[in-house]
Structures are given as structure tokens and as C-alpha cells.
């Protein structure tokens, strides 16, 4: 009787997350010997314990297409304004240890303010004495895929941030192939990671996979257009989608509410999976729980961008000046910009994990399923196993990896379901109180 009861009790989110973490570790172990190189086992096993925060060096990516350079010629290190130091302590410690490499992408019709928003989020600041790179101030219309890398350091936490601005679509009469280059870019980063992961220099892999994609929705329509739906459907399996209502200053608060509702309905109707903020652990503090709840209620974020500083009541703020007043970018009463920034900073690690566990693993499984594996390299000084034996081992490993990947997907689904259930339970209890 007791046993039967025990089976029906759902696992706590914390337990599921721990299980996912341990499966990920097993996956890493399984992957390791597939392509062996000299001393690789040793390196892999000791890497974690040897990581000293002070010594962390970001691997420099020689192919990075555009690095923002200061007037002095060095790599721009901007501190303070992104808000890294405000990460919850636990995450903060983890990031100090590992360092962060984060890539985000902006996608949407041209002229919706993609470049302006990205500049507002990362590359401009309110401190007059700080030098702002020339390239960052100029909001220009995006015509091709442009990747810019910037290193940010805040209280010893380093972030190597790559922002990928994509060509806007919507101008052409036929937009059928408008998103091909974007999909290709995302897949290329996966391919590169896959290649590096099975190469000799695994310790210094530069992670350029796209961890987050802001999808800009035109505020002038009546919700999602067919091209938005089609594009998001293609993107959802590759990247963490974060839909944004662009230029929110063009809508009244009532219109924004209606627009958000409509977008959510359309996403649901078309079974488009956007990035879901994970549920907070029971032992998190109240403030964090409340913040997450608030962030969830903002989705899709309705944002305003500007790189202009305007004086309001003696204070310089980023905003847009209209004859009737100023729309302040960082005023939560005016738009969801600060919510979006908080979401990005506080969930950077989760966005990376979902990219790795879900999107990358899916790509990897499909690649390895499709094409013959690259020839296996034998460790130095050992005899390679005969071909048939090698194939058998590889096949077994691949099957095991796929099984584990499925387990992770199921657990993540369970997490989402539990989140939804607890959210609706929350709602019910609130409405009962009312
Ligand atoms: P992109 O082509 O999507 O990168 O768009 P841009 O960032 O180049 O912006 C296009 C135009 O829209 C520029 O004139 C911006 O000043 C303006 N813009 C950018 N963000 C906003 C916003 O939030 N509200 C309004 N009203 N205009 C904006």
C-alpha cells in the first residue's frame, strides 16, 4: 500500500534537475572515449577540480568575425552595467569558476529595432566617463549576419558575449528563403562544436552555439504573421526562442495586454515551443520566487530600445523623446526592457544548459544517425580495435547516448508539466483567497 502511494508522488523539481545533471555527466563520460587522443581521459577527469577562477582564460576565437575594439586597440572590457554581479550567489560562484561564453541572436523583420535593442542591452551605458565604442552607438540597418564579440567583466566574473544580428526580412516580396542563412548559421555553430568536441583540443573548445534567440514581432499587426509562425516553427527545435513585441511604445498598455494574449494563443495553437523559465526550487528565497513569477507573466516581453540619453528630472536616462513626454527604456512602468534583461542575466546558465542538453543533442543525434562517424583515432601506443569491433562499440555508445537523451527530454517535459501544474495551483489558491 505504502509502495503504491510512493510511486504516485511526483519527483520534486530539484530531484529531477539532479538526475538530469547526473545523466549529463554520464553522457560526457560516454562521449569521451568515442574519439580518443593522447592523455585525453586524464585531462577530462581532472579539468573540473583544477579550475581555478583566478586563472580562467577565455579561449580566443580566431574566427570571430567582429571584435569590438577600444580606441587603444585592445579588446573592450565593459564592466558594471550588464548586472552580472547581481546574479544569485550560487550561480555567481559557478560562473566565476567556469567563466561564461554566451551567444545570442536577434531575428525579425528589418526596422523593428533589433540593433537598437541589442545596443541598449549591452553596448551602451549611462556613465558619461565611460568610453563607448563607435560601432556600438550607431544603430544601423542590418543587412547581413554580423557577429560581434565583446568581453565583459564584473567583479571578477568574465563573460564573453557574442551577439549575432541577422538580416531583417519582410522587405522582399518572396520571403521564402529569408531564414535559410539564419538556420544555416545556427547549424554551422553546432557542427563546429561537434567537430571540436571530437577533436584533439577538447579542453579549449570555443562555444559559439546560439544560446538564445530574440524573435522580434511587429507591433503594428494583429499578432503573429504567417512568416513569423513559419520561422518560429523552424527555429524552435534549434534554439531557445524568446519572442519580443518590438517598439512597444507604439501601443497603449491595454493594447499591449491584448497583443500579448493573442501572441500566446497563436503560439499555443501552432504548437510553437518558446523558452520556458524553469520553476523555482522550493528552498529559493521569496524574492527570487516572486521575481520569476513576475518574469513569467511578462512573456512575450514588450520592449522599447534607444541608445539616446535624455535628461528627465535632472537625471540622464535612456529613452525616446516625444512631443508629449519621454518613454524611458529602463522604466518598468513604460515597458518590459528591465524584465528582459533580468531574465537574460538570471537565466543565462539555464539557457546554456537547455541549448546543450536539448538543441545540441538533437542536432548531434541526427548528424551521427545520418552520416558515417569520422574514423576513430586510437590512443597513442595502443592497437586500434578491429573495424567490426570498433563499429559495434560505437553503435552501442550511440544507442546509449540516444537513450539518455530521451530520458533528459522526458524529464524536462515532466519539469514543464509540474511547473504548469504548480502555476495553475498557485492561481487557483489566489483566486480562492480573492
Ligand atoms: P533593425 O533593422 O531591426 O536592426 O532596426 P534598427 O535598430 O536599425 O531600428 C530601426 C529604426 O527604429 C531606427 O530609426 C530606430 O531609432 C527605431 N527604433 C528602434 N527601437 C525603437 C523602439 O523601441 N521604438 C520606436 N518607436 N522606434 C525604435
Amino acid at each position: 500500500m505504502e509502495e503504491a502511494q510512493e510511486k504516485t508522488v511526483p519527483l520534486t523539481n530539484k530531484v529531477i534537475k539532479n538526475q538530469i545533471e547526473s545523466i549529463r555527466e554520464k553522457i560526457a563520460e560516454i562521449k569521451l572515449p568515442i574519439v580518443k587522443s593522447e592523455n585525453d581521459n586524464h585531462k577530462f577527469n581532472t579539468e573540473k577540480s583544477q579550475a581555478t577562477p583566478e586563472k580562467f582564460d577565455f579561449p580566443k576565437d580566431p574566427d570571430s568575425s567582429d571584435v569590438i575594439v577600444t580606441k587603444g586597440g585592445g579588446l573592450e572590457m565593459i564592466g558594471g552595467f550588464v548586472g552580472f554581479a547581481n546574479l544569485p550567489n550560487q550561480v555567481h560562484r559557478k560562473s566565476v569558476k567556469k567563466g561564461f561564453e554566451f551567444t545570442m541572436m536577434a531575428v525579425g523583420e528589418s526596422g523593428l529595432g533589433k540593433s537598437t535593442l541589442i545596443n541598449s542591452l549591452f553596448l551602451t551605458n549611462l556613465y558619461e566617463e565611460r568610453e563607448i565604442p563607435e560601432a556600438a552607438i550607431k544603430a544601423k540597418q542590418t543587412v547581413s549576419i554580423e557577429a560581434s564579440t565583446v568581453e565583459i567583466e564584473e567583479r571578477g566574473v568574465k563573460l564573453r558575449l557574442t551577439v549575432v544580428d541577422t538580416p531583417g526580412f519582410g522587405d522582399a516580396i518572396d520571403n521564402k528563403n529569408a531564414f535559410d542563412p539564419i538556420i544555416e548559421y545556427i547549424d554551422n555553430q553546432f557542427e563546429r562544436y561537434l567537430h571540436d568536441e571530437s577533436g584533439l583540443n577538447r579542453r579549449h573548445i570555443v562555444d559559439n552555439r546560439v544560446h538564445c534567440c530574440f524573435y522580434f514581432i511587429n507591433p503594428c499587426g494583429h499578432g503573429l504573421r504567417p512568416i513569423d509562425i513559419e520561422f518560429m516553427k523552424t527555429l524552435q527545435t534549434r534554439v531557445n526562442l524568446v519572442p519580443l513585441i518590438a517598439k512597444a511604445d507604439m501601443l497603449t498598455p491595454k493594447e499591449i495586454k491584448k497583443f500579448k494574449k493573442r501572441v500566446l494563443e497563436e503560439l499555443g495553437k501552432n504548437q510553437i515551443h518558446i523558452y520556458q523559465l524553469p520553476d523555482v526550487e522550493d528552498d529559493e528565497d521569496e524574492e527570487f520566487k516572486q521575481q520569476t513569477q513576475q518574469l513569467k507573466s511578462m512573456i512575450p516581453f514588450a520592449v522599447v530600445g534607444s541608445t539616446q540619453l535624455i535628461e528627465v528630472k535632472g537625471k540622464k536616462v535612456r529613452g525616446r523623446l516625444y512631443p508629449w513626454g519621454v518613454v524611458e527604456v529602463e522604466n518598468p512602468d513604460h515597458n518590459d526592457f528591465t524584465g528582459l534583461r533580468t531574465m537574460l542575466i538570471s537565466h543565462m546558465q539555464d539557457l546554456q544548459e537547455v541549448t546543450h542538453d536539448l538543441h545540441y543533442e538533437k542536432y548531434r543525434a541526427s548528424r551521427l544517425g545520418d552520416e558515417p562517424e569520422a574514423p576513430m583515432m586510437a590512443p597513442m601506443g595502443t592497437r586500434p580495435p578491429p573495424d567490426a569491433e570498433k563499429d559495434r562499440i560505437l553503435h552501442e555508445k550511440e544507442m546509449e547516448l540516444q537513450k539518455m537523451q530521451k530520458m533528459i527530454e522526458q524529464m524536462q517535459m515532466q519539469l514543464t508539466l509540474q511547473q504548469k501544474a504548480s502555476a495553475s495551483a498557485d492561481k487557483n489558491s489566489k483566486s480562492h483567497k480573492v
Side-chain angles (χ1 to χ4, degrees):
M1 179 74 185
E2 253 180 17
E3 220 182 275
Q5 263 181 351
E6 227 176 68
K7 271 182 194 161
T8 57
V9 175
L11 294 171
T12 64
N13 293 347
K14 201 171 187 172
V15 173
I16 298 176
K17 280 181 185 168
N18 285 343
Q19 285 180 349
I20 291 178
E21 192 57 37
S22 76
I23 296 175
R24 284 184 64 215
E25 277 168 16
K26 278 187 195 143
I27 288 178
E29 277 167 25
I30 291 172
K31 275 183 193 170
L32 184 69
I34 291 183
V35 181
K36 282 194 174 182
S37 68
E38 194 181 7
N39 292 334
D40 259 5
N41 278 334
H42 171 72
K43 279 182 194 164
F44 186 85
N45 292 335
T46 54
E47 194 178 351
K48 271 187 190 165
S49 55
Q50 280 181 355
T52 38
E54 298 75 15
K55 284 186 181 161
F56 181 85
D57 266 333
F58 284 96
K60 296 282 180 285
D61 176 12
D63 296 342
S64 178
S65 43
D66 178 13
V67 172
I68 292 170
V69 169
T70 53
K71 283 183 183 148
L75 197 66
E76 177 79 348
M77 304 286 281
I78 305 172
F81 67 93
V82 176
F84 263 82
N86 299 326
L87 282 169
N89 271 342
Q90 200 189 352
V91 182
H92 188 268
R93 270 202 306 276
K94 271 195 193 169
S95 25
V96 170
K97 207 166 166 187
K98 291 200 216 157
F100 261 114
E101 282 175 315
F102 195 83
T103 299
M104 51 164 303
M105 188 178 233
V107 171
E109 208 177 310
S110 55
L112 281 187
K114 297 187 291 296
S115 316
T116 310
L117 189 90
I118 297 294
N119 282 340
S120 315
L121 270 173
F122 297 111
L123 303 177
T124 52
N125 57 76
L126 296 173
Y127 308 107
E128 278 170 290
E129 65 275 16
R130 203 175 277 151
E131 295 249 21
I132 299 168
E134 272 290 293
I137 321 172
K138 287 184 201 148
K140 55 181 182 333
Q141 256 216 344
T142 320
V143 287
S144 61
I145 291 190
E146 286 173 22
S148 308
T149 301
V150 68
E151 284 194 12
I152 297 167
E153 185 172 358
E154 201 172 289
R155 293 199 210 158
V157 183
K158 285 181 183 177
L159 169 73
R160 181 177 179 275
L161 174 80
T162 303
V163 177
V164 185
D165 209 351
T166 60
F169 54 82
D171 298 338
I173 294 170
D174 180 10
N175 284 302
K176 228 167 63 200
N177 301 323
F179 32 86
D180 284 357
I182 296 167
I183 302 296
E184 199 178 297
Y185 184 91
I186 297 173
D187 285 353
N188 280 346
Q189 308 316 311
F190 281 149
E191 186 62 33
R192 197 163 148 187
Y193 193 87
L194 182 66
H195 177 264
D196 289 353
E197 200 181 41
S198 34
L200 293 173
N201 198 16
R202 259 203 313 270
R203 242 157 74 94
H204 299 291
I205 296 180
V206 178
D207 183 7
N208 279 324
R209 294 170 299 179
V210 182
H211 301 110
C212 173
C213 172
F214 287 167
Y215 189 92
F216 288 70
I217 302 164
N218 193 329
C220 300
H222 293 287
L224 299 178
R225 295 169 314 154
I227 193 171
D228 295 326
I229 293 170
E230 205 184 325
F231 203 170
M232 283 200 257
K233 272 189 172 171
T234 322
L235 281 172
Q236 64 173 339
T237 53
R238 290 176 162 85
V239 70
N240 291 314
L241 267 180
V242 176
L244 305 179
I245 298 170
K247 298 188 175 180
D249 52 327
M250 294 171 80
L251 301 170
T252 66
K254 210 170 155 189
E255 285 167 335
I256 288 178
K257 214 170 152 190
K258 221 165 119 188
F259 202 99
K260 283 187 177 187
K261 193 166 166 260
R262 190 164 189 142
V263 168
L264 288 178
E265 278 167 8
E266 286 174 340
L267 288 172
K269 210 167 70 195
N270 290 285
Q271 296 182 330
I272 294 171
H273 300 282
I274 57 171
Y275 171 67
Q276 298 286 336
L277 290 174
D279 217 1
V280 279
E281 312 279 350
D282 292 338
D283 53 5
E284 290 288 0
D285 61 80
E286 258 328 293
E287 204 183 327
F288 186 66
K289 280 183 187 165
Q290 250 179 27
Q291 186 197 61
T292 310
Q293 208 47 48
Q294 224 175 4
L295 291 177
K296 284 183 182 182
S297 71
M298 287 182 194
I299 296 169
F301 297 92
V303 290
V304 173
S306 169
T307 49
Q308 250 195 333
L309 292 178
I310 300 166
E311 205 163 305
V312 177
K313 292 180 197 151
K315 253 176 77 181
K316 280 201 170 166
V317 297
R318 240 180 301 183
R320 306 191 71 85
L321 179 64
Y322 289 105
W324 54 87
V326 175
V327 178
E328 295 170 34
V329 170
E330 290 180 80
N331 186 337
D333 291 334
H334 292 189
N335 76 105
D336 301 332
F337 177 89
T338 48
L340 176 68
R341 191 173 56 186
T342 306
M343 188 283 287
L344 193 64
I345 293 164
S346 57
H347 289 80
M348 214 163 236
Q349 201 156 0
D350 189 60
L351 286 158
Q352 285 175 316
E353 284 174 10
V354 177
T355 302
H356 187 83
D357 296 342
L358 206 66
H359 304 301
Y360 172 66
E361 280 305 327
K362 202 172 262 177
Y363 177 85
R364 191 179 167 280
S366 77
R367 271 286 279 104
L368 299 184
D370 280 359
E371 287 174 32
E373 183 72 67
M376 189 166 86
M377 288 157 77
M380 299 283 268
T382 62
R383 216 152 42 114
D387 270 359
E389 178 64 1
K390 211 164 67 181
D391 285 352
R392 191 189 59 75
I393 297 171
L394 273 174
H395 181 70
E396 270 175 13
K397 284 186 187 307
E398 200 44 55
M399 297 309 287
E400 205 173 335
L401 280 175
Q402 278 179 16
K403 217 167 85 190
M404 287 184 169
Q405 189 49 41
K406 274 217 176 89
M407 277 165 76
I408 288 187
E409 275 175 30
Q410 276 168 359
M411 284 176 172
Q412 263 161 349
M413 251 169 71
Q414 193 181 344
L415 260 177
T416 314
L417 286 175
Q418 284 185 200
Q419 274 169 20
K420 279 188 183 153
S422 75
S424 70
D426 257 17
K427 235 188 205 169
N428 282 344
S429 73
K430 268 184 199 151
S431 63
H432 281 310
K433 275 180 203 160
V434 174

